[in-house]
Amino acid sequence: MTQTTAGSKPDLGTYGAFGHYSQFQQLSPQQLRDIEGLGYGAIWAGGSPPAELEWIDPILAATTTLQLATGIVNIWSAAAGPVAESFHRIEAAYPGRFLLGIGVGHREAIGEYRKPLDALTDYLDKLDEYGVPKHRRVVAALGPKVLQLSADRSAGAHPYLTTPEHTAQARELTGPDAFLAPEHKAVLTTDAEKARSIGRKALDIYLGLSNYLNNFKRLGFTDEDLTKPGSDRFIDAVVAHGTVDEVAARLRQHRDAGADHVPVQVLTSPDKLVPALAELAGPLGLA
């Protein structure tokens, strides 16, 4: 696999595995190598980790080509200086295998919250000052202004909890040269009610967060769709379920809409993650 090089769009393969950073810490070196061997190009680690990012080194040490991206480092809880130090440490040890994803998190969780665009711009200025290359960072972006910022000031955008329709809009806004990696959730079951139940549990928090609600409304969902626990229409749009072929077809819609890479978040326990990724690998066309 071609890894990120200076001045180029990041190449993380077509699909990655998304989960909370603590979830990946629970995986054994062999399980990490299994994910790599299945053809997933990257692990996307969410959950606003501390700036030191010390948990990344063992993951990369256990594998050979697997890349790791943060989805995301929260700019309110992780200062740019220590994050840049972590980037340079990881880059020195594992060249080309770490992509720094940053974002503003949620207004509801922050006591002192500036305009996201201003705060992100200042943070990116500091990353420039500390020598983190533009092409080795991405920005969590949903709305038009932050999507445009992601294309101007980083390799591109990592939209979270969106639809292929959003991916098409994001591609149009960011242009062909920006990296675009939208996350999508999946439950591998043909029992629609069971899948929706799992999806609703995972999505409950997001139906109380204004940045996500605003984006869902831009995508055409109504207040009725977004009133907890969420309509079937809404859940089905953001949580793929069905046979592995049906789930893979839904994920491919992001690629068809312009995504370079799709981080797949399988909603399952850590011990079942690798088997689920293995089931999906073939239908996704991975090695």
Side-chain angles (χ1 to χ4, degrees):
M1 178 185 297
T2 302
Q3 296 171 346
T4 305
T5 56
S8 69
K9 183 186 290 191
D11 182 358
L12 279 69
T14 51
Y15 295 93
F18 188 104
H20 194 279
Y21 73 96
S22 64
Q23 181 181 26
F24 292 117
Q25 288 179 281
Q26 297 176 49
L27 299 183
S28 69
Q30 185 57 56
Q31 287 174 310
L32 294 167
R33 287 190 288 271
D34 289 344
I35 293 173
E36 179 179 68
L38 289 168
Y40 293 92
I43 278 174
W44 286 78
S48 300
E52 290 71 24
L53 302 177
E54 295 172 344
W55 49 273
I56 290 177
D57 301 71
I59 294 173
L60 295 181
T63 53
T64 305
T65 61
L66 190 69
Q67 298 183 61
L68 190 144
T70 49
I72 45 82
V73 167
N74 190 317
I75 68 170
W76 305 110
S77 58
V83 168
E85 290 179 11
S86 297
F87 173 86
H88 291 301
R89 182 195 76 244
I90 298 165
E91 172 63 15
Y94 307 99
R97 295 179 60 196
F98 176 48
L99 184 66
L100 174 63
I102 67 166
V104 296
H106 315 305
R107 180 184 300 273
E108 291 80 359
I110 303 299
E112 187 175 337
Y113 193 98
R114 297 166 54 208
K115 288 184 178 179
L117 197 66
D118 293 343
L120 277 170
T121 299
D122 289 347
Y123 199 94
L124 289 163
D125 288 343
K126 291 176 182 175
L127 291 181
D128 285 342
E129 180 183 342
Y130 297 133
V132 177
K134 172 182 174 181
H135 68 282
R136 301 296 302 285
R137 63 199 194 202
V138 292
V139 176
L142 295 173
K145 291 182 179 179
V146 180
L147 281 166
Q148 290 168 345
L149 178 73
S150 75
D152 292 340
R153 296 295 309 278
S154 76
H158 168 49
Y160 183 84
L161 194 53
T162 63
T163 64
E165 292 76 16
H166 182 273
T167 296
Q169 295 170 15
R171 175 53 72 201
E172 185 174 354
L173 279 166
T174 59
D177 297 329
F179 178 69
L180 186 57
E183 174 268 357
H184 202 101
K185 294 174 175 54
V187 181
L188 301 188
T189 179
T190 56
D191 184 335
E193 289 311 307
K194 180 180 179 180
R196 289 167 183 153
S197 177
I198 293 170
R200 286 187 168 102
K201 184 177 179 180
L203 296 176
D204 181 75
I205 185 174
Y206 300 102
L207 291 178
L209 299 175
S210 59
N211 56 336
Y212 286 100
L213 291 172
N214 290 338
N215 191 56
F216 296 144
K217 289 177 181 178
R218 285 193 294 266
L219 291 170
F221 294 104
T222 66
D223 288 335
E224 184 177 357
D225 287 321
L226 302 174
T227 299
K228 290 186 179 184
S231 69
D232 287 355
R233 169 179 176 253
F234 168 69
I235 299 298
D236 291 349
V238 293
V239 180
H241 57 85
T243 66
V244 289
D245 289 328
E246 289 170 336
V247 170
R250 178 61 169 167
L251 297 172
R252 281 197 298 272
Q253 289 177 9
H254 282 282
R255 295 271 297 158
D256 294 341
D260 297 292
H261 173 87
V262 182
V264 183
Q265 183 171 186
V266 182
L267 300 178
T268 190
S269 57
D271 61 307
K272 296 179 180 177
L273 176 61
V274 176
L277 292 172
E279 283 190 71
L280 274 173
L284 288 176
L286 302 179

